Amino acid sequence: MSIIAALPEVVSLVAEGTDNPRADFSDTPLWLTVVKALIVFVYLLVSTLLVIWFERRVIGRMQQRPGPNRNGPFGLLQTLADGMKAMLKEDVRPKAADAFVFTLAPIITASMAFVAFAIMPMAGEVSMFGHTTPFQLTDTPVAVLLVLAVAGVGIYGVVLAGWSSGSTYPLMGGLRSSAQMISYEIAMGLSLVAVFLYAGSMSTSQIVSAQSDLWFVVPAFFSFFVYVITMVGETNRLPFDLAEGEGELTGGFHTEYGSMRFAMFFLGEYINMFTVSALATTMFLGGYQAPPGLASVFGGALNEGWWGLLWFTAKLWMFMFVFVWLRGSLPRVRYDQFMRFGWKFLIPATLAWVVLVAFFRAGQNGWLGGTWDVAGRSFPVVSLVLVGVIAVLALVGGWMWDTRTERKEAAAHPEIPDEIDPYAGGHPVPPMPGQRLREPSLTAPALPSAPDTEEAPRG
Amino acid sequence: MTGTGEEVMFWILGPLSVLGALGLVFAKKAVHAALGMALTMIILGIFYIAQDADFLGVIQIFVYTGAVIMLFLFVVMLVGVDSSDSLVETLTGQRWATAVLSLGLGGILGAQIGRASLDDAVGLDAVNAQTGNVSGVAELIFGRYVWVFEITSALLITAALGAMVLAHRERLGKGPNQKEWSKRRFQEGEHLAGLPAPGVYARHNAVDTPALLPDGTPSELSVSRVLTARDQNLAPEEYTAGERTIERDVQEGGER
């Protein structure tokens, strides 16, 4: 009953903090919002053009070949040429396709990819055409949920593309990738809950400003680990690109697509990569804030205004490099293993982690007992107890796991005796490597004597 | 009070959502019906957001469009193409009863809504400025209504578990192996040598060409049920017709 009695206090503590976004749009006229929307759009398009070239060049380097280097300096215009080619190609639609949905699907994918970027804070307060405005299109108290919701709508593009193609491989690819994206979205959402708990808000601008002392990658390290895995699964990239496994499904959901419709899927996929990377940057790596060390030089000048765009872009491209690196080094996983990993490891583990973080946070807020001073710093007792319990559990679990593997190992490899009686079973058996042959025992059944019948003379 | 922007948005999105709802009822293909429902759900979410209930709106889109209707789509897409809606009335007089009941319901709803008098909308501005959208909802769910919320969620979890338990079929014995299958086949005495393979005895060896039985009729058993439902089977007629022409020519030549 004490919990129930404590509830009103907890409620009053919750009510104290407001979660309204900290970004201040009061000095932002409508036309400036339109200009910012245009800037975000162009930023994404140019980044996509660059990242396709970047990916091909880096993978080329990893595979000891040059990669595209013919069009423009360093092959920079290769993507532009590919895009022009896609536009000029013949627009083919299969006879069995559902005409309306077949065209709708790529439009959904491409347009939804752009929407999610509207809430990313790409820089702090900047002055733009005489107005002081945060460099993000909009912000709401539920900005991060908006990204997840938009991603959920974006999956429709994939599912509908698979269905409307009127063919088997696309249907299977569409089902696969949508099942994959939905499953990994659950783990992704759960991993972000820890960040919400630390920041006390779901608005991106508040989350970034809550990281001014410590990036959340440190306290929420397990969330970061889960998020990075789910972000690769969410974007259908290698090693999780099962939806397009060429060996199994030809092209997956976009098998029947060509020309501009295919280009739109391509664009959507790359912008989705930017979106999840931008979300990772915002949630875990301090968003547009300068890296530690640089943040305090020149009296914090590097942490203000347009400098934020540089740090944001640098962190974004770090994640893009990780995407390419993964693609260059890892083989594709098997679909059932992938799903088992998502449902049976990532989701339960993240759930446990969120509960743990909730306890830590409650301890920090002083709701669960007092503090304990160790070496001049005070820690909540609950956190220390929890850390102790987890350490003990990890030790016990590791020991149990060790003994179990040892037992399994012993069961799998029974001990081989040094000597072997080759005729023990009545049938000659060759020795295993390292075994000695024993002389045939007297008790062994006698070898059958030579056959009575002589071979009949031939001819 | 509704602002001009909100009014304009309502008159654009309102008809669209009604269109989506009508599409759900009248669309011929099940996937189109599900799409109509998704459209309506998204527009509902946008309406919530326009009325300052950001959290509710985003959750509406996230849960209904992203999860519930996606599951609908899954099922609809996976249902075989050969299963079509039965248009036979299973209960006599069902349609008339439905028409009368829905007209009555519409009448009651119309009369009540027409008589209702609405005060000026309070709006969420004050609440949003004070505690914030999410904290406000959290305060209600985890404060005042915590038991209602927890009991409802326990009920829902029980329902989900119950559905899984009821739908899960435990295998009581072990499944028949190949030998038992073959024994059973011989006991039943049908298709002793297995089903006829497609393309056998026909002029084509593709899976969509039914086998021809010794008397020349195509065997339905030899081709996939799905292909038959899609009308994608090749008819052997063009080959048998050609053969018949040749036979006739030979016969005519013999008689001459």
Side-chain angles (χ1 to χ4, degrees):
Chain A
M1 293 304 281
S2 62
I3 296 174
I4 303 169
L7 265 178
E9 291 168 34
V10 173
V11 166
S12 64
L13 281 170
V14 169
E16 271 170 21
T18 60
D19 49 52
N20 286 329
R22 200 160 288 174
D24 178 21
F25 290 97
S26 55
D27 193 21
T28 310
L30 185 65
W31 62 265
L32 190 55
T33 308
V34 176
V35 169
K36 278 199 281 188
L38 195 70
I39 292 177
V40 170
F41 184 74
V42 172
Y43 179 84
L44 282 178
L45 276 186
V46 172
S47 300
T48 308
L49 281 183
L50 278 178
V51 82
I52 296 174
W53 167 83
F54 173 77
E55 174 168 28
R56 297 177 66 180
R57 289 289 287 200
V58 171
I59 286 209
R61 180 131 187 107
M62 286 177 181
Q63 296 169 350
Q64 303 191 338
R65 57 185 174 82
N69 60 357
R70 286 285 177 269
N71 294 315
F74 309 108
L76 266 168
L77 298 180
Q78 180 65 40
T79 321
L80 205 63
D82 287 345
M84 293 308 285
K85 180 184 152 204
M87 252 189 272
L88 297 173
K89 277 184 99 167
E90 187 191 353
D91 200 10
V92 183
R93 179 163 51 80
K95 209 169 78 181
D98 185 311
F100 174 65
V101 181
F102 190 75
T103 310
L104 180 70
I107 295 178
I108 291 180
T109 302
S111 55
M112 284 302 133
F114 281 103
V115 171
F117 224 83
I119 53 97
M120 299 297 171
M122 295 159 72
E125 297 261 315
V126 295
S127 79
M128 205 189 256
F129 305 110
H131 294 272
T132 309
T133 174
F135 197 62
Q136 81 183 92
L137 199 52
T138 182
D139 196 9
T140 80
V142 289
V144 180
L145 288 187
L146 187 83
V147 176
L148 294 180
V150 166
V153 176
I155 299 175
Y156 274 85
V158 174
V159 179
L160 293 177
W163 175 78
S164 66
S165 296
S167 159
T168 315
Y169 282 143
L171 181 68
M172 294 198 307
L175 283 178
R176 256 192 188 195
S177 69
S178 48
Q180 161 181 351
M181 287 159 95
I182 291 171
S183 319
Y184 272 64
E185 214 176 278
I186 299 173
M188 180 182 257
L190 278 175
S191 74
L192 296 182
V193 170
V195 176
F196 300 156
L197 285 174
Y198 276 115
S201 172
M202 290 188 279
S203 118
T204 41
S205 61
Q206 277 226 27
I207 291 173
V208 170
S209 51
Q211 295 179 76
S212 53
D213 294 334
L214 182 66
W215 291 0
F216 284 150
V217 63
V218 179
F221 62 94
F222 185 75
S223 281
F224 181 69
F225 167 73
V226 173
Y227 183 87
V228 170
I229 294 175
T230 55
M231 120 184 155
V232 182
E234 178 78 10
T235 44
N236 286 334
R237 290 277 302 181
L238 261 169
F240 298 149
D241 69 335
L242 307 148
E244 304 154 27
E246 289 88 354
E248 307 147 21
L249 291 172
T250 55
F253 63 89
H254 58 58
T255 304
E256 304 285 0
Y257 280 87
S259 172
M260 265 322 272
R261 293 200 187 100
F262 175 74
M264 278 160 107
F265 276 125
F266 210 66
L267 183 72
E269 183 181 323
Y270 277 92
I271 293 179
N272 271 336
M273 281 162 64
F274 276 111
T275 306
V276 290
S277 305
L279 197 62
T281 305
T282 308
M283 304 292 283
F284 297 102
L285 294 188
Y288 53 76
Q289 292 177 357
L294 281 176
S296 52
V297 288
F298 306 128
L302 291 182
N303 215 358
E304 274 171 14
W306 287 97
W307 281 101
L309 191 60
L310 175 70
W311 309 130
F312 180 81
T313 311
K315 292 170 188 174
L316 198 66
W317 279 80
M318 204 186 69
F319 278 107
M320 299 316 282
F321 176 73
V322 171
F323 270 118
V324 178
W325 191 10
L326 287 178
R327 184 178 165 188
S329 39
L330 292 179
R332 187 177 294 137
V333 300
R334 223 172 61 196
Y335 189 66
D336 59 329
Q337 291 171 339
F338 173 72
M339 288 305 252
R340 193 183 311 140
F341 179 67
W343 282 97
K344 295 194 173 166
F345 173 71
L346 282 185
I347 292 178
T350 320
L351 211 54
W353 165 252
V354 167
V355 173
L356 200 68
V357 168
F359 272 103
F360 279 134
R361 281 295 289 160
Q364 272 182 11
N365 288 1
W367 297 347
L368 304 170
T371 55
W372 195 19
D373 292 324
V374 180
R377 295 189 60 185
S378 65
F379 298 95
V381 175
V382 192
S383 309
L384 293 176
V385 169
L386 276 176
V387 168
V389 168
I390 291 166
V392 170
L393 279 181
L395 274 177
V396 171
W399 175 70
M400 279 169 67
W401 193 71
D402 242 22
T403 45
R404 221 174 73 184
T405 35
E406 256 174 39
R407 212 183 312 143
K408 250 190 210 164
E409 195 84 345
H413 302 286
E415 216 168 297
I416 304 165
D418 284 347
E419 276 193 347
I420 181 176
D421 181 356
Y423 291 109
H427 189 83
V429 178
M432 297 287 282
Q435 270 184 331
R436 276 197 316 274
L437 276 181
R438 196 191 296 161
E439 288 304 309
S441 63
L442 293 172
T443 51
L447 284 177
S449 54
D452 295 338
T453 49
E454 291 284 312
E455 201 178 339
R458 293 220 174 108
Chain B
M1 292 312 264
T2 47
T4 329
E6 197 179 332
E7 208 162 322
V8 168
M9 196 198 70
F10 177 79
W11 285 112
I12 294 172
L13 291 185
L16 266 179
S17 71
V18 173
L19 209 68
L22 289 178
L24 168 63
V25 180
F26 291 112
K28 277 201 182 123
K29 283 186 183 166
V31 170
H32 291 172
L35 277 185
M37 188 151 56
L39 179 68
T40 308
M41 291 294 174
I42 292 179
I43 292 177
L44 269 185
I46 295 175
F47 280 158
Y48 288 143
I49 294 174
Q51 293 178 345
D52 294 331
D54 294 6
F55 183 69
L56 195 61
V58 169
I59 290 296
Q60 163 87 18
I61 296 177
F62 190 27
V63 173
Y64 281 93
T65 318
V68 176
I69 300 182
M70 186 58 82
L71 288 182
F72 274 32
L73 258 188
F74 259 54
V75 175
V76 164
M77 279 160 61
L78 284 178
V79 164
V81 277
D82 54 337
S83 68
S84 55
D85 290 338
S86 146
L87 293 175
V88 184
E89 263 186 292
T90 43
L91 303 170
T92 43
Q94 182 192 13
R95 282 183 200 177
W96 286 108
T98 314
V100 170
L101 280 178
S102 22
L103 274 181
L105 185 66
I108 292 172
L109 278 179
Q112 285 303 318
I113 293 171
R115 270 175 42 191
S117 65
L118 300 175
D119 296 337
D120 279 344
V122 179
L124 290 171
D125 287 340
V127 181
N128 277 348
Q130 203 188 353
T131 54
N133 204 299
V134 185
S135 300
V137 175
E139 202 178 322
L140 287 178
I141 290 180
F142 296 110
R144 198 164 151 197
Y145 298 116
V146 65
W147 291 113
V148 182
F149 179 71
E150 291 300 327
I151 291 169
T152 316
S153 63
L155 196 70
L156 285 177
I157 291 172
T158 317
L161 270 181
M164 272 162 69
V165 168
L166 289 179
H168 182 71
R169 199 177 51 131
E170 195 97 20
R171 196 183 261 289
L172 291 173
K174 79 178 177 59
N177 55 24
Q178 199 180 2
K179 196 169 187 181
E180 283 156 358
W181 273 116
S182 82
K183 275 185 185 163
R184 185 189 290 180
R185 201 165 64 223
F186 274 88
Q187 271 167 1
E188 284 165 358
E190 260 182 88
H191 313 304
L192 294 182
L195 295 177
V200 181
Y201 303 127
R203 295 285 289 270
H204 212 276
N205 62 357
V207 281
D208 58 349
T209 317
L212 292 185
L213 295 177
D215 58 354
T217 52
S219 164
E220 280 290 317
L221 282 174
S222 63
V223 280
S224 162
R225 202 160 46 82
V226 176
L227 289 181
T228 313
R230 277 189 188 156
D231 267 340
Q232 284 178 340
N233 281 334
L234 277 186
E237 263 77 55
E238 52 177 310
Y239 304 119
T240 47
E243 258 174 51
R244 243 172 257 132
T245 321
I246 294 171
E247 275 172 23
R248 207 180 51 235
D249 286 354
V250 170
Q251 211 173 6
E252 271 181 12
E255 284 168 5
R256 215 174 272 153

